[in-house]
Amino acid sequence: MEEITEEDIYSRIKEGPIHEAWHRIGIKHHHGINIPLFSIHSENSCGVGEFLDLKLLIEFCASVNMGIIQLLPLNDAGYETSPYNAVSSQALGPIYISIRSLPFVKSDEDLLLDLAGFKRYTYLQKVAYNAVLAAKLEFLRKYYYKYFDNFSKTLTYQAFLKDNPWLHDYGLFKALKDDYAHRGWFSWEKKHQDISKSYKKQLLKEKETEINFYIFLQFLCFTQMEEVKGYAQKKGVMLKGDIPILISPESLDVWHARENFDLDYSAGAPPDIFTPTGQCWGFPIYDWKHIEETKYSFWENRLKTAGCFYHMYRIDHIIGLYRIFAITRGKGPEAGVMIPEDPSLALRQGEHILRKFSSITKMFPIGEDLGADIEYIRESLAKQAVPGTKIPRWERDHLGDKAFIKYEDYNPFSVTTVSTHDSETLSLWWENNAEEVRHFTTAQGMKYTKHLTQELRFQMLKDSHHTNSLFHINLLSEYLALFKDLVWENPHDERINLPGTVLPSNWCYRLRPSLEMLLEHNDLKDSMKNCLPKK
């Protein structure tokens, strides 16, 4: 195993493509929490975690001496509950607008009466995503008709339109989706699938009111998230966004700019020990040749928008920048091939793309580099000082499945996290994988017990903050599990998503306590602070 010295760390950072980003955040150990926005709630929430709720979460993060809040994607996903299946790579989800805090609401008796109806959603155990979205859009449409004129002529709103030229295409796309009852664009009439310039001009005029409605919602989203980012900076906390590599085939991006994609293929994953038949995700692959020819304008627009809200970004499936498992559309994973197949070509492609990204955005990147047969890609990321991801239960060395890598041997260019939104929680892993847990605890010098005790849970969390990784970020819910009254009684209710399934339990996880309760829970805050290295 390669040993990376402190001298190596500084040398790789200096020579790598993201050296400026490293110096912006500091070359040191960073600690933080990870939580989907939809999972939090405050006394002001209306059925789902909202943008301005993040200010309370920032206060909590700062109070436990942690400096990073990692979020799942916040893009507009329409009525699709998965945040990784958005209808736009740039637009934010209107469901997250803090409607109670909008200008004029507190003096509008009619709107205040409507707000009262959201209480029934806020304290449910699971997020009622579609019901909340429908109710919020109804509220926001009423707000738009009443108050849009108060915003539309302002210099701030006009500057927003100028800075975001994609908005009118987005508004038109959303208006058409409404006309087609939210069906995918490939089921629309041909004239709407492939709109001519003259017909588009006509539609922009005919649907001006609806288009302006959706543009206005983005103005509200952007305004609130920019406020949150500014608040985070004042508190010394960095926001880490999530940028999925792949784009939904039903998205505005594919509808409006199909030339960026190769629609003959669908991305997926080859067979492995977790999915013996492989996976087909249904997302189109990129036409990197066209993206290169257009000077990466698609990615430039996407990353510059994300940079308005985040200091850091997680590149979901970063190995997809190097090579992708492509499946001929209409066939199964058994027909898939790696593009490019040659590892040397994959390395050249991935490193070139990462250099392009670093020239586009000031955000600090962290890659989700999980998968089979990717060691050469992990080595490439480490060489460039781009952190990857270490999930201790999955970190094995070349000696076999039972040989776990010790914490002190982790590559420093990585983030250690005990679980993810797609994995079992620590509790479920411990209960369901006794033999694996026994080997893991032996390798890490821990005591093994049949059931995960609170002492061992704390040790796991504390150890995750003392690995050789330079980043240490865990799901907030894993810390809450140190106190039985802060988590749901059934441990399965603490899971966020079960990959490869479409279940009503996916993407609706809600923290049991409110943010206000967390801020007042001194025992929790002390436990979290005690997980960190002593200064």
Side-chain angles (χ1 to χ4, degrees), residues 435-455:
E435 184 179 359
E436 183 180 63
V437 171
R438 190 178 292 109
H439 288 296
F440 177 84
T441 51
T442 300
Q444 304 298 355
M446 297 173 61
K447 176 185 176 182
Y448 170 76
T449 60
K450 183 177 180 181
H451 299 291
L452 179 60
T453 65
Q454 296 301 67
E455 291 75 18

mmCIF file with all atom_site columns, all heavy atoms in Angstrom, residues 435-455:
data_model
loop_
_atom_site.group_PDB
_atom_site.id
_atom_site.type_symbol
_atom_site.label_atom_id
_atom_site.label_alt_id
_atom_site.label_comp_id
_atom_site.label_asym_id
_atom_site.label_entity_id
_atom_site.label_seq_id
_atom_site.pdbx_PDB_ins_code
_atom_site.Cartn_x
_atom_site.Cartn_y
_atom_site.Cartn_z
_atom_site.occupancy
_atom_site.B_iso_or_equiv
_atom_site.pdbx_formal_charge
_atom_site.auth_seq_id
_atom_site.auth_comp_id
_atom_site.auth_asym_id
_atom_site.auth_atom_id
_atom_site.pdbx_PDB_model_num
ATOM 1   N N   . GLU A 1 435 ? -20.788 -11.793 10.618 1.00 0.00 ? 435 GLU A N   1
ATOM 2   C CA  . GLU A 1 435 ? -19.440 -12.272 10.298 1.00 0.00 ? 435 GLU A CA  1
ATOM 3   C C   . GLU A 1 435 ? -18.551 -11.131 9.811  1.00 0.00 ? 435 GLU A C   1
ATOM 4   O O   . GLU A 1 435 ? -17.391 -10.996 10.228 1.00 0.00 ? 435 GLU A O   1
ATOM 5   C CB  . GLU A 1 435 ? -19.499 -13.370 9.231  1.00 0.00 ? 435 GLU A CB  1
ATOM 6   C CG  . GLU A 1 435 ? -18.125 -13.960 8.931  1.00 0.00 ? 435 GLU A CG  1
ATOM 7   C CD  . GLU A 1 435 ? -18.183 -15.073 7.894  1.00 0.00 ? 435 GLU A CD  1
ATOM 8   O OE1 . GLU A 1 435 ? -19.298 -15.399 7.421  1.00 0.00 ? 435 GLU A OE1 1
ATOM 9   O OE2 . GLU A 1 435 ? -17.111 -15.601 7.538  1.00 0.00 ? 435 GLU A OE2 1
ATOM 10  N N   . GLU A 1 436 ? -19.113 -10.286 8.930  1.00 0.00 ? 436 GLU A N   1
ATOM 11  C CA  . GLU A 1 436 ? -18.355 -9.145  8.423  1.00 0.00 ? 436 GLU A CA  1
ATOM 12  C C   . GLU A 1 436 ? -17.986 -8.196  9.556  1.00 0.00 ? 436 GLU A C   1
ATOM 13  O O   . GLU A 1 436 ? -16.846 -7.704  9.634  1.00 0.00 ? 436 GLU A O   1
ATOM 14  C CB  . GLU A 1 436 ? -19.166 -8.413  7.360  1.00 0.00 ? 436 GLU A CB  1
ATOM 15  C CG  . GLU A 1 436 ? -18.431 -7.249  6.723  1.00 0.00 ? 436 GLU A CG  1
ATOM 16  C CD  . GLU A 1 436 ? -19.270 -6.542  5.670  1.00 0.00 ? 436 GLU A CD  1
ATOM 17  O OE1 . GLU A 1 436 ? -20.340 -5.989  6.033  1.00 0.00 ? 436 GLU A OE1 1
ATOM 18  O OE2 . GLU A 1 436 ? -18.857 -6.552  4.503  1.00 0.00 ? 436 GLU A OE2 1
ATOM 19  N N   . VAL A 1 437 ? -18.925 -7.927  10.440 1.00 0.00 ? 437 VAL A N   1
ATOM 20  C CA  . VAL A 1 437 ? -18.673 -7.031  11.569 1.00 0.00 ? 437 VAL A CA  1
ATOM 21  C C   . VAL A 1 437 ? -17.580 -7.606  12.461 1.00 0.00 ? 437 VAL A C   1
ATOM 22  O O   . VAL A 1 437 ? -16.700 -6.876  12.948 1.00 0.00 ? 437 VAL A O   1
ATOM 23  C CB  . VAL A 1 437 ? -19.961 -6.792  12.375 1.00 0.00 ? 437 VAL A CB  1
ATOM 24  C CG1 . VAL A 1 437 ? -19.656 -6.049  13.677 1.00 0.00 ? 437 VAL A CG1 1
ATOM 25  C CG2 . VAL A 1 437 ? -20.972 -6.005  11.549 1.00 0.00 ? 437 VAL A CG2 1
ATOM 26  N N   . ARG A 1 438 ? -17.612 -8.915  12.665 1.00 0.00 ? 438 ARG A N   1
ATOM 27  C CA  . ARG A 1 438 ? -16.599 -9.546  13.516 1.00 0.00 ? 438 ARG A CA  1
ATOM 28  C C   . ARG A 1 438 ? -15.201 -9.353  12.928 1.00 0.00 ? 438 ARG A C   1
ATOM 29  O O   . ARG A 1 438 ? -14.255 -9.014  13.629 1.00 0.00 ? 438 ARG A O   1
ATOM 30  C CB  . ARG A 1 438 ? -16.919 -11.034 13.663 1.00 0.00 ? 438 ARG A CB  1
ATOM 31  C CG  . ARG A 1 438 ? -16.060 -11.729 14.723 1.00 0.00 ? 438 ARG A CG  1
ATOM 32  C CD  . ARG A 1 438 ? -16.424 -13.191 14.889 1.00 0.00 ? 438 ARG A CD  1
ATOM 33  N NE  . ARG A 1 438 ? -17.756 -13.355 15.466 1.00 0.00 ? 438 ARG A NE  1
ATOM 34  C CZ  . ARG A 1 438 ? -18.812 -13.808 14.794 1.00 0.00 ? 438 ARG A CZ  1
ATOM 35  N NH1 . ARG A 1 438 ? -18.714 -14.108 13.513 1.00 0.00 ? 438 ARG A NH1 1
ATOM 36  N NH2 . ARG A 1 438 ? -19.978 -13.937 15.395 1.00 0.00 ? 438 ARG A NH2 1
ATOM 37  N N   . HIS A 1 439 ? -15.067 -9.559  11.617 1.00 0.00 ? 439 HIS A N   1
ATOM 38  C CA  . HIS A 1 439 ? -13.767 -9.363  10.963 1.00 0.00 ? 439 HIS A CA  1
ATOM 39  C C   . HIS A 1 439 ? -13.356 -7.891  11.007 1.00 0.00 ? 439 HIS A C   1
ATOM 40  O O   . HIS A 1 439 ? -12.177 -7.570  11.206 1.00 0.00 ? 439 HIS A O   1
ATOM 41  C CB  . HIS A 1 439 ? -13.819 -9.844  9.514  1.00 0.00 ? 439 HIS A CB  1
ATOM 42  C CG  . HIS A 1 439 ? -13.870 -11.332 9.374  1.00 0.00 ? 439 HIS A CG  1
ATOM 43  N ND1 . HIS A 1 439 ? -12.841 -12.156 9.795  1.00 0.00 ? 439 HIS A ND1 1
ATOM 44  C CD2 . HIS A 1 439 ? -14.825 -12.154 8.859  1.00 0.00 ? 439 HIS A CD2 1
ATOM 45  C CE1 . HIS A 1 439 ? -13.161 -13.413 9.548  1.00 0.00 ? 439 HIS A CE1 1
ATOM 46  N NE2 . HIS A 1 439 ? -14.354 -13.443 8.986  1.00 0.00 ? 439 HIS A NE2 1
ATOM 47  N N   . PHE A 1 440 ? -14.328 -7.008  10.821 1.00 0.00 ? 440 PHE A N   1
ATOM 48  C CA  . PHE A 1 440 ? -14.031 -5.575  10.823 1.00 0.00 ? 440 PHE A CA  1
ATOM 49  C C   . PHE A 1 440 ? -13.521 -5.126  12.190 1.00 0.00 ? 440 PHE A C   1
ATOM 50  O O   . PHE A 1 440 ? -12.501 -4.422  12.293 1.00 0.00 ? 440 PHE A O   1
ATOM 51  C CB  . PHE A 1 440 ? -15.276 -4.773  10.437 1.00 0.00 ? 440 PHE A CB  1
ATOM 52  C CG  . PHE A 1 440 ? -15.084 -3.283  10.481 1.00 0.00 ? 440 PHE A CG  1
ATOM 53  C CD1 . PHE A 1 440 ? -14.539 -2.609  9.408  1.00 0.00 ? 440 PHE A CD1 1
ATOM 54  C CD2 . PHE A 1 440 ? -15.438 -2.555  11.617 1.00 0.00 ? 440 PHE A CD2 1
ATOM 55  C CE1 . PHE A 1 440 ? -14.344 -1.236  9.448  1.00 0.00 ? 440 PHE A CE1 1
ATOM 56  C CE2 . PHE A 1 440 ? -15.244 -1.183  11.670 1.00 0.00 ? 440 PHE A CE2 1
ATOM 57  C CZ  . PHE A 1 440 ? -14.693 -0.526  10.580 1.00 0.00 ? 440 PHE A CZ  1
ATOM 58  N N   . THR A 1 441 ? -14.224 -5.493  13.247 1.00 0.00 ? 441 THR A N   1
ATOM 59  C CA  . THR A 1 441 ? -13.832 -5.058  14.587 1.00 0.00 ? 441 THR A CA  1
ATOM 60  C C   . THR A 1 441 ? -12.460 -5.620  14.964 1.00 0.00 ? 441 THR A C   1
ATOM 61  O O   . THR A 1 441 ? -11.659 -4.935  15.613 1.00 0.00 ? 441 THR A O   1
ATOM 62  C CB  . THR A 1 441 ? -14.883 -5.481  15.628 1.00 0.00 ? 441 THR A CB  1
ATOM 63  O OG1 . THR A 1 441 ? -15.160 -6.885  15.489 1.00 0.00 ? 441 THR A OG1 1
ATOM 64  C CG2 . THR A 1 441 ? -16.172 -4.698  15.439 1.00 0.00 ? 441 THR A CG2 1
ATOM 65  N N   . THR A 1 442 ? -12.187 -6.835  14.549 1.00 0.00 ? 442 THR A N   1
ATOM 66  C CA  . THR A 1 442 ? -10.865 -7.419  14.813 1.00 0.00 ? 442 THR A CA  1
ATOM 67  C C   . THR A 1 442 ? -9.770  -6.615  14.123 1.00 0.00 ? 442 THR A C   1
ATOM 68  O O   . THR A 1 442 ? -8.739  -6.287  14.723 1.00 0.00 ? 442 THR A O   1
ATOM 69  C CB  . THR A 1 442 ? -10.817 -8.878  14.344 1.00 0.00 ? 442 THR A CB  1
ATOM 70  O OG1 . THR A 1 442 ? -11.803 -9.642  15.045 1.00 0.00 ? 442 THR A OG1 1
ATOM 71  C CG2 . THR A 1 442 ? -9.437  -9.486  14.592 1.00 0.00 ? 442 THR A CG2 1
ATOM 72  N N   . ALA A 1 443 ? -10.018 -6.271  12.837 1.00 0.00 ? 443 ALA A N   1
ATOM 73  C CA  . ALA A 1 443 ? -9.019  -5.524  12.064 1.00 0.00 ? 443 ALA A CA  1
ATOM 74  C C   . ALA A 1 443 ? -8.749  -4.148  12.662 1.00 0.00 ? 443 ALA A C   1
ATOM 75  O O   . ALA A 1 443 ? -7.615  -3.656  12.623 1.00 0.00 ? 443 ALA A O   1
ATOM 76  C CB  . ALA A 1 443 ? -9.480  -5.386  10.612 1.00 0.00 ? 443 ALA A CB  1
ATOM 77  N N   . GLN A 1 444 ? -9.792  -3.522  13.224 1.00 0.00 ? 444 GLN A N   1
ATOM 78  C CA  . GLN A 1 444 ? -9.636  -2.165  13.755 1.00 0.00 ? 444 GLN A CA  1
ATOM 79  C C   . GLN A 1 444 ? -9.340  -2.143  15.250 1.00 0.00 ? 444 GLN A C   1
ATOM 80  O O   . GLN A 1 444 ? -9.326  -1.068  15.862 1.00 0.00 ? 444 GLN A O   1
ATOM 81  C CB  . GLN A 1 444 ? -10.902 -1.342  13.463 1.00 0.00 ? 444 GLN A CB  1
ATOM 82  C CG  . GLN A 1 444 ? -11.296 -1.265  12.003 1.00 0.00 ? 444 GLN A CG  1
ATOM 83  C CD  . GLN A 1 444 ? -10.254 -0.590  11.119 1.00 0.00 ? 444 GLN A CD  1
ATOM 84  O OE1 . GLN A 1 444 ? -9.246  -0.080  11.596 1.00 0.00 ? 444 GLN A OE1 1
ATOM 85  N NE2 . GLN A 1 444 ? -10.488 -0.585  9.806  1.00 0.00 ? 444 GLN A NE2 1
ATOM 86  N N   . GLY A 1 445 ? -9.125  -3.324  15.825 1.00 0.00 ? 445 GLY A N   1
ATOM 87  C CA  . GLY A 1 445 ? -8.774  -3.380  17.241 1.00 0.00 ? 445 GLY A CA  1
ATOM 88  C C   . GLY A 1 445 ? -9.920  -3.053  18.163 1.00 0.00 ? 445 GLY A C   1
ATOM 89  O O   . GLY A 1 445 ? -9.715  -2.529  19.270 1.00 0.00 ? 445 GLY A O   1
ATOM 90  N N   . MET A 1 446 ? -11.140 -3.380  17.735 1.00 0.00 ? 446 MET A N   1
ATOM 91  C CA  . MET A 1 446 ? -12.326 -3.104  18.530 1.00 0.00 ? 446 MET A CA  1
ATOM 92  C C   . MET A 1 446 ? -12.866 -4.382  19.169 1.00 0.00 ? 446 MET A C   1
ATOM 93  O O   . MET A 1 446 ? -12.596 -5.487  18.696 1.00 0.00 ? 446 MET A O   1
ATOM 94  C CB  . MET A 1 446 ? -13.439 -2.486  17.653 1.00 0.00 ? 446 MET A CB  1
ATOM 95  C CG  . MET A 1 446 ? -13.103 -1.146  17.052 1.00 0.00 ? 446 MET A CG  1
ATOM 96  S SD  . MET A 1 446 ? -14.406 -0.632  15.878 1.00 0.00 ? 446 MET A SD  1
ATOM 97  C CE  . MET A 1 446 ? -15.853 -0.560  16.951 1.00 0.00 ? 446 MET A CE  1
ATOM 98  N N   . LYS A 1 447 ? -13.637 -4.217  20.202 1.00 0.00 ? 447 LYS A N   1
ATOM 99  C CA  . LYS A 1 447 ? -14.338 -5.331  20.817 1.00 0.00 ? 447 LYS A CA  1
ATOM 100 C C   . LYS A 1 447 ? -15.561 -5.677  19.973 1.00 0.00 ? 447 LYS A C   1
ATOM 101 O O   . LYS A 1 447 ? -16.238 -4.790  19.458 1.00 0.00 ? 447 LYS A O   1
ATOM 102 C CB  . LYS A 1 447 ? -14.764 -4.949  22.232 1.00 0.00 ? 447 LYS A CB  1
ATOM 103 C CG  . LYS A 1 447 ? -15.587 -5.986  22.964 1.00 0.00 ? 447 LYS A CG  1
ATOM 104 C CD  . LYS A 1 447 ? -16.040 -5.442  24.308 1.00 0.00 ? 447 LYS A CD  1
ATOM 105 C CE  . LYS A 1 447 ? -16.958 -6.439  25.016 1.00 0.00 ? 447 LYS A CE  1
ATOM 106 N NZ  . LYS A 1 447 ? -17.452 -5.894  26.310 1.00 0.00 ? 447 LYS A NZ  1
ATOM 107 N N   . TYR A 1 448 ? -15.848 -6.962  19.803 1.00 0.00 ? 448 TYR A N   1
ATOM 108 C CA  . TYR A 1 448 ? -17.057 -7.367  19.075 1.00 0.00 ? 448 TYR A CA  1
ATOM 109 C C   . TYR A 1 448 ? -18.141 -7.798  20.053 1.00 0.00 ? 448 TYR A C   1
ATOM 110 O O   . TYR A 1 448 ? -17.883 -8.544  21.005 1.00 0.00 ? 448 TYR A O   1
ATOM 111 C CB  . TYR A 1 448 ? -16.770 -8.524  18.117 1.00 0.00 ? 448 TYR A CB  1
ATOM 112 C CG  . TYR A 1 448 ? -18.044 -9.109  17.535 1.00 0.00 ? 448 TYR A CG  1
ATOM 113 C CD1 . TYR A 1 448 ? -18.733 -8.437  16.531 1.00 0.00 ? 448 TYR A CD1 1
ATOM 114 C CD2 . TYR A 1 448 ? -18.586 -10.291 18.038 1.00 0.00 ? 448 TYR A CD2 1
ATOM 115 C CE1 . TYR A 1 448 ? -19.923 -8.937  16.016 1.00 0.00 ? 448 TYR A CE1 1
ATOM 116 C CE2 . TYR A 1 448 ? -19.777 -10.807 17.530 1.00 0.00 ? 448 TYR A CE2 1
ATOM 117 C CZ  . TYR A 1 448 ? -20.440 -10.117 16.527 1.00 0.00 ? 448 TYR A CZ  1
ATOM 118 O OH  . TYR A 1 448 ? -21.622 -10.617 16.018 1.00 0.00 ? 448 TYR A OH  1
ATOM 119 N N   . THR A 1 449 ? -19.350 -7.312  19.843 1.00 0.00 ? 449 THR A N   1
ATOM 120 C CA  . THR A 1 449 ? -20.520 -7.788  20.564 1.00 0.00 ? 449 THR A CA  1
ATOM 121 C C   . THR A 1 449 ? -21.618 -8.069  19.544 1.00 0.00 ? 449 THR A C   1
ATOM 122 O O   . THR A 1 449 ? -21.622 -7.496  18.446 1.00 0.00 ? 449 THR A O   1
ATOM 123 C CB  . THR A 1 449 ? -21.031 -6.750  21.584 1.00 0.00 ? 449 THR A CB  1
ATOM 124 O OG1 . THR A 1 449 ? -21.394 -5.555  20.883 1.00 0.00 ? 449 THR A OG1 1
ATOM 125 C CG2 . THR A 1 449 ? -19.962 -6.430  22.613 1.00 0.00 ? 449 THR A CG2 1
ATOM 126 N N   . LYS A 1 450 ? -22.520 -8.941  19.897 1.00 0.00 ? 450 LYS A N   1
ATOM 127 C CA  . LYS A 1 450 ? -23.577 -9.326  18.955 1.00 0.00 ? 450 LYS A CA  1
ATOM 128 C C   . LYS A 1 450 ? -24.422 -8.132  18.551 1.00 0.00 ? 450 LYS A C   1
ATOM 129 O O   . LYS A 1 450 ? -24.816 -8.001  17.385 1.00 0.00 ? 450 LYS A O   1
ATOM 130 C CB  . LYS A 1 450 ? -24.455 -10.420 19.584 1.00 0.00 ? 450 LYS A CB  1
ATOM 131 C CG  . LYS A 1 450 ? -25.535 -10.935 18.641 1.00 0.00 ? 450 LYS A CG  1
ATOM 132 C CD  . LYS A 1 450 ? -26.329 -12.060 19.284 1.00 0.00 ? 450 LYS A CD  1
ATOM 133 C CE  . LYS A 1 450 ? -27.409 -12.575 18.327 1.00 0.00 ? 450 LYS A CE  1
ATOM 134 N NZ  . LYS A 1 450 ? -28.218 -13.675 18.951 1.00 0.00 ? 450 LYS A NZ  1
ATOM 135 N N   . HIS A 1 451 ? -24.707 -7.278  19.513 1.00 0.00 ? 451 HIS A N   1
ATOM 136 C CA  . HIS A 1 451 ? -25.517 -6.093  19.230 1.00 0.00 ? 451 HIS A CA  1
ATOM 137 C C   . HIS A 1 451 ? -24.650 -4.848  19.367 1.00 0.00 ? 451 HIS A C   1
ATOM 138 O O   . HIS A 1 451 ? -23.728 -4.804  20.200 1.00 0.00 ? 451 HIS A O   1
ATOM 139 C CB  . HIS A 1 451 ? -26.714 -6.015  20.178 1.00 0.00 ? 451 HIS A CB  1
ATOM 140 C CG  . HIS A 1 451 ? -27.641 -7.188  20.074 1.00 0.00 ? 451 HIS A CG  1
ATOM 141 N ND1 . HIS A 1 451 ? -28.421 -7.408  18.971 1.00 0.00 ? 451 HIS A ND1 1
ATOM 142 C CD2 . HIS A 1 451 ? -27.873 -8.215  20.939 1.00 0.00 ? 451 HIS A CD2 1
ATOM 143 C CE1 . HIS A 1 451 ? -29.125 -8.521  19.148 1.00 0.00 ? 451 HIS A CE1 1
ATOM 144 N NE2 . HIS A 1 451 ? -28.812 -9.033  20.335 1.00 0.00 ? 451 HIS A NE2 1
ATOM 145 N N   . LEU A 1 452 ? -24.947 -3.844  18.557 1.00 0.00 ? 452 LEU A N   1
ATOM 146 C CA  . LEU A 1 452 ? -24.184 -2.603  18.585 1.00 0.00 ? 452 LEU A CA  1
ATOM 147 C C   . LEU A 1 452 ? -24.538 -1.810  19.843 1.00 0.00 ? 452 LEU A C   1
ATOM 148 O O   . LEU A 1 452 ? -25.638 -1.253  19.942 1.00 0.00 ? 452 LEU A O   1
ATOM 149 C CB  . LEU A 1 452 ? -24.477 -1.775  17.329 1.00 0.00 ? 452 LEU A CB  1
ATOM 150 C CG  . LEU A 1 452 ? -23.774 -0.420  17.224 1.00 0.00 ? 452 LEU A CG  1
ATOM 151 C CD1 . LEU A 1 452 ? -22.258 -0.580  17.239 1.00 0.00 ? 452 LEU A CD1 1
ATOM 152 C CD2 . LEU A 1 452 ? -24.222 0.312   15.953 1.00 0.00 ? 452 LEU A CD2 1
ATOM 153 N N   . THR A 1 453 ? -23.619 -1.759  20.779 1.00 0.00 ? 453 THR A N   1
ATOM 154 C CA  . THR A 1 453 ? -23.850 -0.995  22.002 1.00 0.00 ? 453 THR A CA  1
ATOM 155 C C   . THR A 1 453 ? -23.609 0.486   21.727 1.00 0.00 ? 453 THR A C   1
ATOM 156 O O   . THR A 1 453 ? -22.967 0.859   20.740 1.00 0.00 ? 453 THR A O   1
ATOM 157 C CB  . THR A 1 453 ? -22.890 -1.454  23.117 1.00 0.00 ? 453 THR A CB  1
ATOM 158 O OG1 . THR A 1 453 ? -21.544 -1.148  22.723 1.00 0.00 ? 453 THR A OG1 1
ATOM 159 C CG2 . THR A 1 453 ? -23.015 -2.958  23.366 1.00 0.00 ? 453 THR A CG2 1
ATOM 160 N N   . GLN A 1 454 ? -24.104 1.325   22.614 1.00 0.00 ? 454 GLN A N   1
ATOM 161 C CA  . GLN A 1 454 ? -23.888 2.765   22.442 1.00 0.00 ? 454 GLN A CA  1
ATOM 162 C C   . GLN A 1 454 ? -22.410 3.116   22.586 1.00 0.00 ? 454 GLN A C   1
ATOM 163 O O   . GLN A 1 454 ? -21.921 4.051   21.945 1.00 0.00 ? 454 GLN A O   1
ATOM 164 C CB  . GLN A 1 454 ? -24.727 3.555   23.438 1.00 0.00 ? 454 GLN A CB  1
ATOM 165 C CG  . GLN A 1 454 ? -26.248 3.400   23.231 1.00 0.00 ? 454 GLN A CG  1
ATOM 166 C CD  . GLN A 1 454 ? -26.706 3.848   21.849 1.00 0.00 ? 454 GLN A CD  1
ATOM 167 O OE1 . GLN A 1 454 ? -26.374 3.223   20.839 1.00 0.00 ? 454 GLN A OE1 1
ATOM 168 N NE2 . GLN A 1 454 ? -27.459 4.935   21.802 1.00 0.00 ? 454 GLN A NE2 1
ATOM 169 N N   . GLU A 1 455 ? -21.686 2.363   23.407 1.00 0.00 ? 455 GLU A N   1
ATOM 170 C CA  . GLU A 1 455 ? -20.256 2.600   23.550 1.00 0.00 ? 455 GLU A CA  1
ATOM 171 C C   . GLU A 1 455 ? -19.523 2.298   22.245 1.00 0.00 ? 455 GLU A C   1
ATOM 172 O O   . GLU A 1 455 ? -18.639 3.078   21.822 1.00 0.00 ? 455 GLU A O   1
ATOM 173 C CB  . GLU A 1 455 ? -19.686 1.736   24.682 1.00 0.00 ? 455 GLU A CB  1
ATOM 174 C CG  . GLU A 1 455 ? -20.136 2.115   26.079 1.00 0.00 ? 455 GLU A CG  1
ATOM 175 C CD  . GLU A 1 455 ? -21.575 1.680   26.378 1.00 0.00 ? 455 GLU A CD  1
ATOM 176 O OE1 . GLU A 1 455 ? -22.099 0.797   25.656 1.00 0.00 ? 455 GLU A OE1 1
ATOM 177 O OE2 . GLU A 1 455 ? -22.174 2.235   27.327 1.00 0.00 ? 455 GLU A OE2 1
#
